[in-house]
């Protein structure tokens, strides 16, 4: 796959240019509630002219090229699964499949069913595509998102999807590093840099060994020894650790608590928005396995703009080009059953009734549980879902009246008790780029105690934490950088909370009831509850439906015969 280049922004450095009238910014290599908007300060306005004596900014941008991902085992496996839909024999009678939920799981299900020659009807309850990657435009034309979305090299199904849609160039790849704030050194960061010249896992080991600011050598050695069983035991060992929290597993392996404090609190919050004393160790080991076994597995990319338009719309265009349908403002209200307990129809909020050959719920697990018919609730397949509960998360966007200097063109781990990760989207994202003002997007987690609080309380708490990350630029009382506006997006139930012993509760995509299927990152697949997990779940759901083609056609013929007899 050819490499590409487009404008992006990477490695922010301030340069004082000699004999110049400007300051140069050099960039190396290149259920949702509370979507509130508020303006602060009568003198703070967007697009404000520079103050007298403040020099204009000069920006130079060059992208990092797309990494070599196409020859990895996982990428090829994902590519083969994608190709199986396109190369399968064309159905003599395309199946009509109705799918509730146009997040990535539902979009993926519909896309691959359409590739196989079937006719998906994709229903979305809201007026925006994307589910957990949804975004909205405010009155100023600025976008704000449900979450801070990062695309890893270790996302083979997502990477294949971009290639299949011809939109690889919409991913802005960053340098191969992980950057952590230093709580004890306000305003400073510690980096794990993965050298390009080394293969996996040596590049990851080198990155850890070269970092002497977060862990001591004795701690690194004990951590490495503790990881040996996971390296040797493979996937079977990883799955067997589901019963332990991260904290419990670390202590069992004799790894110092400081390793958890220094590294894995940040990782736990980034992966599942909860702390290590709650998170299942399986979640961490899956991530480490993907990141360390593939050379570019932990390399990160930002989408070059808002997800609904830059990612979801191309999928919709593809579905519609093959005869499928996508309907917004079409909420599934009820699953109507036949006498034998199978699905008869989907009843929508506008009282429309849709009958099909197959039915898919691609809604989040918490929403689907409310839709489960009474007749199904004691079936083990559905009963086990009770343990899967979405975790609350808050996404915060703050526009400042100036360009913040103490940042990078990258995802940053805040290591704050309230904040998980953040990025200056005016630097990292092409569509959001602004040379004069910063827009920080931050994940506020854990959010259990904050989800019901007011937006102003959340912003006040965020500013206190930001003052530690930007001590010279931000203060809690706004005596330094001033807030122009903000958005707070609350998701009371996001990805399922990956606490111990949840893995056996994750359902397969094919339900025990003929003609009914599930898709979603909470369903059974080998990746985390993530964008990759959502896309893979959709492919597996589509695969199950394609495999059941003869059965589904026979069911449809039987239904027609019974209707004719009446």
């Amino acid at each position: 796959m050819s490499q590409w280049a487009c404008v992006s922004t990477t490695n922010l450095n301030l340069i004082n240019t000699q004999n110049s009238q400007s300051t140069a910014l050099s960039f190396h290599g290149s259920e949702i509630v509370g979507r509130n908007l508020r303006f602060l300060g009568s003198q703070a306005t967007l697009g404000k002219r520079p103050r007298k004596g403040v020099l204009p900014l000069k920006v130079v941008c060059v992208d990092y090229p797309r990494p070599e991902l196409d020859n990895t085992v996982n990428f090829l496996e994902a590519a083969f699964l994608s190709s199986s839909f396109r190369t399968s024999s064309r159905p003599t009678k395309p199946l009509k499949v109705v799918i509730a939920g146009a997040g990535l799981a539902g979009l993926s299900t519909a896309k691959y069913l359409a590739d196989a020659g079937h006719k998906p009807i994709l229903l979305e309850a809201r007026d925006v595509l994307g589910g957990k990657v949804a975004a909205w435009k405010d009155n100023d034309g600025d976008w704000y998102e449900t979450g801070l979305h990062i695309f890893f090299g270790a996302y083979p199904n997502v990477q294949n999807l971009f290639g299949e849609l011809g939109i690889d160039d919409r991913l802005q790849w960053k340098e191969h590093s992980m950057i952590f704030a230093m709580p004890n050194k306000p305003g400073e960061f510690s980096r794990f840099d993965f050298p390009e010249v080394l293969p996996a896992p040596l590049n990851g080991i080198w990155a850890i060994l070269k970092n002497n600011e977060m862990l001591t050598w004795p701690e690194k050695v004990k951590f490495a020894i503790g990881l040996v069983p996971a390296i040797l035991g493979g996937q079977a060992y990883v799955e067997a650790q589901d019963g332990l929290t991260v904290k419990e597993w670390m202590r069992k392996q004799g790894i110092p608590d400081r390793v958890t404090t220094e590294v894995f609190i940040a990782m736990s919050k980034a992966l599942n928005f909860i702390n290590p004393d709650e998170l299942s160790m399986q979640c961490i080991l899956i991530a480490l396995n993907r990141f360390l076994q593939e050379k570019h597995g932990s390399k990160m990319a930002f989408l070059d703009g808002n997800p609904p338009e830059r990612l979801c719309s191309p999928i919709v265009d593809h579905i519609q080009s093959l005869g499928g349908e996508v309907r917004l403002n079409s909420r599934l209200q009820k699953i109507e059953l036949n006498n034998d307990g199978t699905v008869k129809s989907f009843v929508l909020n506008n009282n429309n009734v849709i009958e099909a050959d197959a039915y898919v719920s691609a809604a989040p697990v918490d929403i689907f549980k409310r839709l489960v018919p009474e007749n199904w609730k004691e079936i083990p397949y559905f009963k086990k879902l009770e343990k899967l509960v979405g975790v609350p998360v808050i996404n915060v966007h703050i526009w400042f009246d100036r360009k913040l200097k103490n940042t990078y063109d990258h995802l940053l781990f805040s290591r704050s008790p309230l904040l998980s990760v953040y990025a200056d989207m005016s630097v990292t994202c092409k569509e959001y780029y602004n040379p004069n003002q910063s827009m920080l997007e931050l994940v506020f987690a854990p959010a259990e105690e904050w989800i019901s609080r007011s937006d102003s309380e959340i912003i006040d708490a965020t500013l206190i934490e930001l003052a530690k990350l930007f001590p010279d630029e931000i203060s809690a009382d706004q005596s330094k950088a001033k807030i122009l506006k903000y958005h707070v997006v609350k998701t009371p139930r996001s990805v399922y909370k990956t606490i111990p012993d949840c893995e056996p509760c994750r359902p397969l995509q094919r339900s025990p009831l003929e003609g009914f299927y599930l898709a979603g990152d909470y369903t059974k697949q080998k990746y985390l509850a993530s964008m990759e997990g959502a896309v893979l779940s959709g492919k597996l759901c589509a695969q199950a439906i394609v495999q059941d083609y003869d059965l589904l056609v026979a069911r449809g013929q039987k239904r027609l015969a019974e209707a004719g007899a009446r």
Side-chain angles (χ1 to χ4, degrees):
M1 200 173 288
S2 62
Q3 293 185 346
W4 47 269
C6 71
V7 175
S8 171
T9 49
T10 305
N11 281 357
L12 173 61
N13 294 294
L14 274 178
I15 301 174
N16 293 319
T17 53
Q18 293 181 349
N19 302 319
S20 172
Q21 295 300 309
S22 66
T23 299
L25 285 178
S26 175
F27 304 87
H28 302 265
S30 172
E31 223 162 275
I32 302 290
V33 298
R35 304 190 320 234
N36 293 327
L37 168 66
R38 184 180 175 194
F39 288 87
L40 298 179
S42 59
Q43 296 181 347
T45 58
L46 287 173
K48 177 170 148 181
R49 297 181 61 184
R51 297 187 304 275
K52 185 176 181 180
V54 176
L55 299 177
L57 299 174
K58 179 182 178 182
V59 180
V60 180
C61 309
V62 182
D63 250 343
Y64 280 91
R66 181 179 183 275
E68 292 290 337
L69 304 172
D70 302 14
N71 294 322
T72 66
V73 172
N74 287 319
F75 185 92
L76 293 172
E77 181 185 83
F80 178 77
L81 180 54
S82 293
S83 68
S84 69
F85 297 102
R86 299 189 299 270
T87 59
S88 63
S89 57
R90 299 296 89 178
T92 54
K93 178 189 178 300
L95 295 172
K96 178 182 177 182
V97 183
V98 59
I99 305 159
L104 289 181
L107 287 163
S108 175
T109 304
K111 190 265 186 193
Y112 291 105
L113 283 172
D115 283 348
H118 299 291
K119 302 301 178 187
I121 301 175
L122 182 59
L123 310 174
E124 170 53 45
R126 299 184 294 178
D127 61 355
V128 62
L129 297 165
K132 298 185 189 75
V133 301
W136 300 266
K137 185 182 285 189
D138 67 18
N139 293 333
D140 301 307
D142 293 317
W143 287 89
Y144 56 104
E145 305 180 2
T146 306
L148 183 53
H149 306 293
I150 305 299
F151 297 81
F152 288 96
Y155 279 4
N157 290 283
V158 167
Q159 297 300 334
N160 267 277
L161 178 62
F162 272 82
E164 292 159 27
L165 297 170
I167 57 171
D168 272 333
D169 59 347
R170 296 185 182 186
L171 288 177
Q172 297 181 241
W173 290 95
K174 307 305 177 185
E175 61 182 329
H176 201 170
S177 302
M178 300 184 78
I179 306 173
F180 292 75
M182 300 292 287
N184 297 327
K185 299 178 181 179
E188 296 186 23
F189 296 87
S190 181
R191 300 169 59 102
F192 292 85
D193 295 315
F194 294 70
E196 185 66 28
V197 295
L198 294 179
L202 295 179
N203 61 343
I205 294 172
W206 180 264
I208 295 170
L209 293 179
K210 284 289 288 181
N211 183 296
N212 294 315
E213 297 163 312
M214 292 174 67
L215 299 177
T216 65
W217 273 96
E219 288 167 343
K220 293 177 189 176
V221 171
K222 290 179 180 178
F223 179 40
I225 293 172
L227 279 179
V228 168
I231 296 170
L232 299 179
Q235 188 66 23
Y237 177 87
V238 170
E239 292 183 2
Q241 308 315 301
D242 181 49
L244 297 174
T245 66
V246 175
K247 194 171 185 179
E248 289 169 344
W249 186 88
M250 293 287 184
R251 288 180 173 176
K252 178 184 174 185
Q253 298 302 112
I255 299 172
D257 285 347
R258 224 178 68 83
V259 175
T260 302
T261 302
E262 290 295 298
V263 178
F264 287 100
I265 288 178
M267 281 194 67
S268 297
K269 291 166 64 172
L271 289 170
N272 198 239
F273 314 123
I274 57 178
N275 284 315
D277 57 346
E278 289 187 279
L279 184 68
S280 166
M281 187 61 195
Q282 183 196 35
C283 183
I284 292 285
L285 290 177
I286 288 174
L288 288 177
N289 185 42
R290 299 290 178 259
F291 292 165
L292 293 178
Q293 295 304 319
E294 298 179 23
K295 180 176 179 178
H296 302 293
S298 58
K299 199 163 191 177
M300 305 178 206
F302 285 69
L303 192 61
D304 67 356
N306 70 89
E309 291 183 348
R310 303 301 289 169
L311 172 56
C312 300
S313 287
I315 305 175
V316 169
D317 292 342
H318 181 86
I319 293 166
Q320 293 176 333
S321 73
L322 296 175
E325 298 180 45
V326 180
R327 305 177 188 176
L328 299 179
N329 298 305
S330 300
R331 181 184 298 275
L332 175 58
Q333 193 75 23
K334 182 182 179 182
I335 300 174
E336 195 76 40
L337 302 183
N338 295 307
N339 292 334
D340 63 358
T342 59
V343 180
K344 179 182 180 181
S345 63
F346 275 4
V347 181
L348 307 187
N349 58 319
N350 56 11
N351 294 321
N352 283 352
V353 177
I354 301 180
E355 293 188 357
D357 298 301
Y359 302 84
V360 179
S361 171
V365 64
D366 297 279
I367 292 176
F368 173 65
K369 285 190 294 186
R370 296 205 300 264
L371 294 167
V372 173
E374 282 297 324
N375 295 12
W376 290 2
K377 289 186 176 178
E378 294 306 312
I379 299 174
Y381 177 87
F382 299 104
K383 191 172 180 60
K384 288 191 297 185
L385 296 178
E386 293 175 6
K387 186 164 184 177
L388 303 182
V389 178
V391 63
V393 65
I394 299 171
N395 207 48
V396 177
H397 307 70
I398 304 178
W399 283 260
F400 288 96
D401 66 345
R402 65 196 67 184
K403 198 73 179 174
L404 300 172
K405 302 173 186 177
N406 193 39
T407 189
Y408 292 84
D409 178 14
H410 216 298
L411 179 74
L412 301 170
F413 293 83
S414 74
R415 300 178 73 208
S416 149
L418 295 180
L419 304 177
S420 171
V421 291
Y422 71 97
D424 186 344
M425 298 298 282
S426 69
V427 173
T428 62
C429 178
K430 182 179 177 182
E431 184 178 12
Y432 304 161
Y433 177 70
N434 187 324
N436 301 312
Q437 296 165 347
S438 285
M439 188 275 274
L440 295 186
E441 185 172 347
L442 312 105
V443 178
F444 197 100
E448 188 83 48
E449 298 178 7
W450 289 86
I451 200 75
S452 61
R453 298 203 192 184
S454 69
D455 291 354
S456 59
E457 287 180 287
I458 292 168
I459 292 296
D460 289 344
T462 301
L463 275 180
I464 291 171
E465 296 304 312
L466 287 178
K468 302 171 187 174
L469 297 169
F470 299 84
D472 298 326
E473 302 177 86
I474 296 177
S475 60
D477 62 0
Q478 293 191 61
S479 59
K480 298 175 183 176
K482 291 179 172 52
I483 295 179
L484 301 179
K485 65 177 180 180
Y486 63 77
H487 289 290
V488 175
V489 182
K490 299 177 181 178
T491 307
R493 292 287 180 263
S494 184
V495 296
Y496 80 92
K497 195 173 184 179
T498 313
I499 57 177
D501 300 319
C502 277
E503 192 63 27
C505 301
R506 299 176 73 181
L508 295 171
Q509 288 75 31
R510 181 189 285 112
S511 86
L513 296 160
E514 289 183 0
F516 183 74
Y517 304 82
L518 293 177
D521 57 15
Y522 70 94
T523 62
K524 188 71 174 177
Q525 38 81 21
K526 65 180 182 179
Y527 289 88
L528 304 169
S530 60
M531 292 186 291
E532 172 67 13
V535 171
L536 177 55
S537 79
K539 293 174 83 168
L540 295 175
C541 182
Q543 181 185 53
I545 293 170
V546 171
Q547 290 171 346
D548 291 349
Y549 174 75
D550 291 336
L551 171 67
L552 295 170
V553 169
R555 286 187 73 250
Q557 292 171 342
K558 180 181 177 183
R559 187 173 65 246
L560 289 174
E562 290 173 348
R566 290 195 294 268

